[in-house]
Amino acid sequence: MNDLASTAAPGRTLCPPAVRAALRRAVPGLAAFAAVRLLGLVVLMAWSAAAGKDWHTLLTARWDSLWYTRVAEHGYGYTLHLANGAVHSDLAFFPLLPWLERGLSALTPLTAADAGMAVAWLSSLAAAWALYATGERLHGPRAGVALAALWAALPVGVVQSMAYSESLFTALAAWGCYAVLTGRWVWAGALASLAGLTRPVGAAVVAAVWITAAVTVANERAGGVRWRALLGGRHRRMLLGAALAPLGWCGYVLWVGARQGSPTAYLDVQGGWGNGFDGGLAFARFIGHQLAGPALPAGLGLLAGVALVIWLYVRGVRKGQPLPLAVYGGTVLFLALTAKGYFGSKPRLMMPAFPLLLPLAAGLARWRPARSWLVIALVAAGSAVYGAFWLNGSGPP
């Protein structure tokens, strides 16, 4: 694994000219991302029209988007009691997306639902920019373009266009990891805190900041740097960033605990939804059930998919993926695979784990452009068709 010192520079705040220059370099990556997502939307519109459904409703007013919109419009406090005994509380949904929906709908003619979709679309572009910047820094501009395009072309990439929180979270997480890579520790801490207000998996960004800071301090101590020196200069900014990182996640979980009168209230809320951590036992039983029944092909495909994502993670680490990306991607993957709940949502839960795509992006960057773009085009077409089929069928929970 690369030493962070080889990729990090002393923290500086980006000046506007530098931001403009970085954005100009990212234009090819943003264009590739937008083209893939536009293809997905066109196919969704055509499929929905043929099925007699409204594509706009599918993106803004179904599943989790309804819960986010309700929080945006009415605040927290809604609980749904199901016939099977399950208790679904809106406290399961972290507040940053509903806050943005409420603010944007107050400032524009958009409804809260449409504001959620607008936030998702803008956030997905911000995420694509961060992915381009990460790929460019580690493997060159072509890898940055490929990384942004591959993330857009994920099988569940259509979620990036929905009024869900995945795009917003990925943008904050990706820029937070990039801030760690470039030594901008205060920015990293602030972005990690915002990511922690967006999704429970915001803890992965906190882990990336904390573990990278701890390894940096340990390496410099091993090199003879005294504690007094570690408390000054950029190290002071690193400590401040580490202190900021958990505030969003911890703040919301503690607020839920205070509201419900129990320190384990958030875990109880998740339990009411059938979610929680069980070390992957429920998921393993689900795969075993698939393999033992008539759904054997689906079970084998699921097993192959799990093996693929684990292989991609190991491949990235062995190729020297920088520590913050390895920690972040590994934590997202671990939490997704070891959580119980609705198993059809696991691909969506793994979508923010963009570092898993870095080995593929680096490989495509070494190919001839025509060959690499043909592969991306085929993957994008498959993603568009699957996304349209998925949303017009069972769809994401």
Side-chain angles (χ1 to χ4, degrees), residues 27-41 124-125 128 148-149 152 161:
V27 165
L30 295 175
F33 172 84
V36 174
R37 293 302 334 126
L38 180 61
L39 173 64
L41 289 173
S124 67
L125 284 170
S161 302

Side-chain angles (χ1 to χ4, degrees), residues 12-109:
R12 303 188 188 97
T13 301
L14 284 173
C15 60
V19 174
R20 288 195 295 269
L23 181 56
R24 283 195 296 270
R25 293 197 308 273
V27 165
L30 295 175
F33 172 84
V36 174
R37 293 302 334 126
L38 180 61
L39 173 64
L41 289 173
V42 169
V43 173
L44 174 63
M45 292 176 186
W47 194 301
S48 300
K53 297 182 179 180
D54 180 17
W55 66 272
H56 179 266
T57 299
L58 293 177
L59 294 180
T60 62
R62 293 190 68 187
W63 305 294
D64 289 4
S65 59
L66 291 173
W67 288 86
Y68 285 118
T69 299
R70 181 182 291 274
V71 174
E73 293 176 338
H74 306 291
Y76 286 103
Y78 179 75
T79 301
L80 182 64
H81 295 267
L82 304 183
N84 62 2
V87 179
H88 291 182
S89 167
D90 58 10
L91 292 171
F93 297 90
F94 276 52
L96 185 57
L97 177 58
W99 287 348
L100 293 175
E101 288 179 341
R102 181 183 300 176
L104 187 58
S105 62
L107 296 173
T108 67

Side-chain angles (χ1 to χ4, degrees), residues 228-249:
R228 180 175 297 179
L230 288 174
L231 296 177
R234 69 184 180 88
H235 298 95
R236 188 176 300 167
R237 292 190 291 272
M238 181 175 66
L239 294 175
L240 177 57
L244 289 172
L247 295 183
W249 189 91

Side-chain angles (χ1 to χ4, degrees), residues 25-277:
R25 293 197 308 273
V27 165
L30 295 175
F33 172 84
V36 174
R37 293 302 334 126
L38 180 61
L39 173 64
L41 289 173
V42 169
V43 173
L44 174 63
M45 292 176 186
W47 194 301
S48 300
K53 297 182 179 180
D54 180 17
W55 66 272
H56 179 266
T57 299
L58 293 177
L59 294 180
T60 62
R62 293 190 68 187
W63 305 294
D64 289 4
S65 59
L66 291 173
W67 288 86
Y68 285 118
T69 299
R70 181 182 291 274
V71 174
E73 293 176 338
H74 306 291
Y76 286 103
Y78 179 75
T79 301
L80 182 64
H81 295 267
L82 304 183
N84 62 2
V87 179
H88 291 182
S89 167
D90 58 10
L91 292 171
F93 297 90
F94 276 52
L96 185 57
L97 177 58
W99 287 348
L100 293 175
E101 288 179 341
R102 181 183 300 176
L104 187 58
S105 62
L107 296 173
T108 67
L110 295 174
T111 64
D114 286 337
M117 185 170 68
V119 169
W121 288 18
L122 293 173
S123 297
S124 67
L125 284 170
W129 184 6
L131 267 58
Y132 172 84
T134 301
E136 177 195 43
R137 182 177 184 85
L138 298 179
H139 301 291
R142 289 186 59 194
V145 174
L147 183 59
L150 286 173
W151 188 67
L154 288 173
V156 293
V158 68
V159 175
Q160 297 163 13
S161 302
M162 298 178 67
Y164 270 44
S165 60
E166 275 77 7
S167 292
L168 176 61
F169 174 78
T170 305
L172 295 168
W175 279 116
C177 289
Y178 185 79
V180 177
L181 282 175
T182 55
R184 296 176 172 88
W185 289 101
V186 177
W187 276 107
L191 289 164
S193 185
L194 290 172
L197 281 171
T198 308
R199 295 189 61 80
V201 76
V205 194
V206 179
V209 174
W210 277 11
I211 293 177
T212 305
V215 170
T216 301
V217 170
N219 287 343
E220 296 195 7
R221 280 288 295 161
V225 179
R226 296 183 176 181
W227 283 112
R228 180 175 297 179
L230 288 174
L231 296 177
R234 69 184 180 88
H235 298 95
R236 188 176 300 167
R237 292 190 291 272
M238 181 175 66
L239 294 175
L240 177 57
L244 289 172
L247 295 183
W249 189 91
C250 290
Y252 181 68
V253 171
L254 291 173
W255 177 79
V256 172
R259 178 187 175 100
Q260 300 297 97
S262 169
T264 62
Y266 185 75
L267 297 178
D268 298 336
V269 167
Q270 287 288 354
W273 282 81
N275 298 326
F277 174 81

